[in-house]
Amino acid sequence: MRLVLSRFLKLSLPLLLLACASPGRQYYNAPPVVTRAAEPVMSAARPVEISFPAFGDHKPHPWDGRAPSAYAVHGIDVSRWQGEIDWPTVRKAGISFAFIKATEGGDHTDPAFKDNWQGAGRAGIPRGAYHFYFFCRPAEEQARWFIQHVPRDSSDLPHVLDLEWNHQSRTCPYRPGPAVVQAEAAKFLDILTAHYGQRPVIYTTVDFYRETGIGNLPGTEFWLRSVAGHPSTVYPGQRWTFWQYTGTGIVPGIRGPVDINTFAGSVSDWNRWRR
């Protein structure tokens, strides 16, 4: 697996660079808020418009400020609930990455993980796996469960720790305080970093973020859910690398709604980040 040290970025000036405690990767903040759907490229003859990927939505949101369509790199996150996925069609639609559910707690695997993992790989879509965390099991146990089911491959994206309250759980309604949440998350991240060679990204939601202070965890990149506002207003001051902007998106090759996300930087930034 690639060492985190190999992923230093040289970002263009429009992006803020924040050097965090993690020794290898530098972290994105949201770019300046602008309203645009394409970037003009000047030629000797006339401007040529380069359109970014734009996907439909079963429940479209009227965005203020910088909308998801102003970002160049979009991806999906999927689980068994998306059913069988036509991965080549997904790639042709403009999807640049996929995060795939692998495990949950310490005894559950997503039954579609293997098919989705192999399908994304065969289609040439950069992929990472994610683990849904249960606070009723030790971090060490959950990290080992994830490692048991997700192969180590130097071409993969950083994997993801999904931290959110499980409102529908009948077996684990426990909601620990901020100190416990941050300590357990750090243990999980440290174990996966040692095994895979790069530090996982944390995915989280608005309520979990506000109630636990997880954004204070040093040396960590964040994937933020915000389906009704730009992260700069919903998570003011928080750096982020991925933004989940809808849970009801429409992507060719997937039947039914799907989560769609964007990367914070440009295509060039993306190519540098994922090395």
Side-chain angles (χ1 to χ4, degrees), residues 92-149:
K92 289 177 184 177
I95 289 298
S96 296
F97 62 88
F99 288 113
I100 300 168
K101 185 174 183 179
T103 53
E104 183 173 319
D107 58 3
H108 176 76
T109 58
D110 190 284
F113 173 67
K114 182 178 290 187
D115 287 342
N116 284 333
W117 190 251
Q118 294 175 349
R122 285 192 298 266
I125 299 175
R127 61 194 180 175
Y130 73 89
H131 173 81
F132 188 92
Y133 199 86
F134 264 42
F135 286 98
C136 296
R137 288 181 178 267
E140 296 89 343
E141 179 182 337
Q142 297 191 58
R144 298 303 174 193
W145 181 250
F146 181 89
I147 289 170
Q148 182 180 336
H149 292 89

Side-chain angles (χ1 to χ4, degrees), residues 63-180:
W63 298 99
D64 294 326
R66 189 169 191 182
S69 60
Y71 291 88
V73 180
H74 295 246
I76 55 174
D77 58 281
V78 299
S79 68
R80 64 181 296 184
W81 302 111
Q82 274 63 56
E84 185 176 354
I85 296 174
D86 182 344
W87 287 99
T89 298
V90 167
R91 183 183 181 186
K92 289 177 184 177
I95 289 298
S96 296
F97 62 88
F99 288 113
I100 300 168
K101 185 174 183 179
T103 53
E104 183 173 319
D107 58 3
H108 176 76
T109 58
D110 190 284
F113 173 67
K114 182 178 290 187
D115 287 342
N116 284 333
W117 190 251
Q118 294 175 349
R122 285 192 298 266
I125 299 175
R127 61 194 180 175
Y130 73 89
H131 173 81
F132 188 92
Y133 199 86
F134 264 42
F135 286 98
C136 296
R137 288 181 178 267
E140 296 89 343
E141 179 182 337
Q142 297 191 58
R144 298 303 174 193
W145 181 250
F146 181 89
I147 289 170
Q148 182 180 336
H149 292 89
V150 179
R152 181 165 47 188
D153 188 324
S154 61
S155 67
D156 292 339
L157 301 178
H159 299 307
V160 176
L161 172 58
D162 181 345
L163 291 175
E164 54 187 294
W165 300 129
N166 188 354
H167 300 288
Q168 298 179 347
S169 176
R170 297 179 180 178
T171 59
C172 187
Y174 177 48
R175 293 192 178 197
V180 173

Side-chain angles (χ1 to χ4, degrees), residues 99-267:
F99 288 113
I100 300 168
K101 185 174 183 179
T103 53
E104 183 173 319
D107 58 3
H108 176 76
T109 58
D110 190 284
F113 173 67
K114 182 178 290 187
D115 287 342
N116 284 333
W117 190 251
Q118 294 175 349
R122 285 192 298 266
I125 299 175
R127 61 194 180 175
Y130 73 89
H131 173 81
F132 188 92
Y133 199 86
F134 264 42
F135 286 98
C136 296
R137 288 181 178 267
E140 296 89 343
E141 179 182 337
Q142 297 191 58
R144 298 303 174 193
W145 181 250
F146 181 89
I147 289 170
Q148 182 180 336
H149 292 89
V150 179
R152 181 165 47 188
D153 188 324
S154 61
S155 67
D156 292 339
L157 301 178
H159 299 307
V160 176
L161 172 58
D162 181 345
L163 291 175
E164 54 187 294
W165 300 129
N166 188 354
H167 300 288
Q168 298 179 347
S169 176
R170 297 179 180 178
T171 59
C172 187
Y174 177 48
R175 293 192 178 197
V180 173
V181 166
Q182 294 179 39
E184 290 296 290
K187 290 178 187 177
F188 186 97
L189 298 181
D190 288 346
I191 293 171
L192 264 63
T193 301
H195 180 78
Y196 293 103
Q198 51 188 350
R199 195 164 182 81
V201 174
I202 284 183
Y203 167 91
T204 197
T205 59
V206 178
D207 57 345
F208 191 94
Y209 175 89
R210 290 174 177 168
E211 293 171 18
T212 66
I214 193 64
N216 297 322
L217 202 65
T220 304
E221 292 183 84
F222 288 89
W223 169 14
L224 303 177
R225 175 177 173 83
S226 181
V227 299
H230 192 275
S232 62
T233 58
V234 179
Y235 301 83
Q238 177 62 53
R239 66 189 186 277
W240 59 275
T241 301
F242 296 99
W243 166 24
Q244 186 184 84
Y245 60 85
T246 182
T248 54
I250 301 171
V251 173
I254 299 176
R255 296 190 298 271
V258 64
D259 297 335
I260 311 181
N261 313 270
T262 186
F263 175 71
S266 67
V267 172

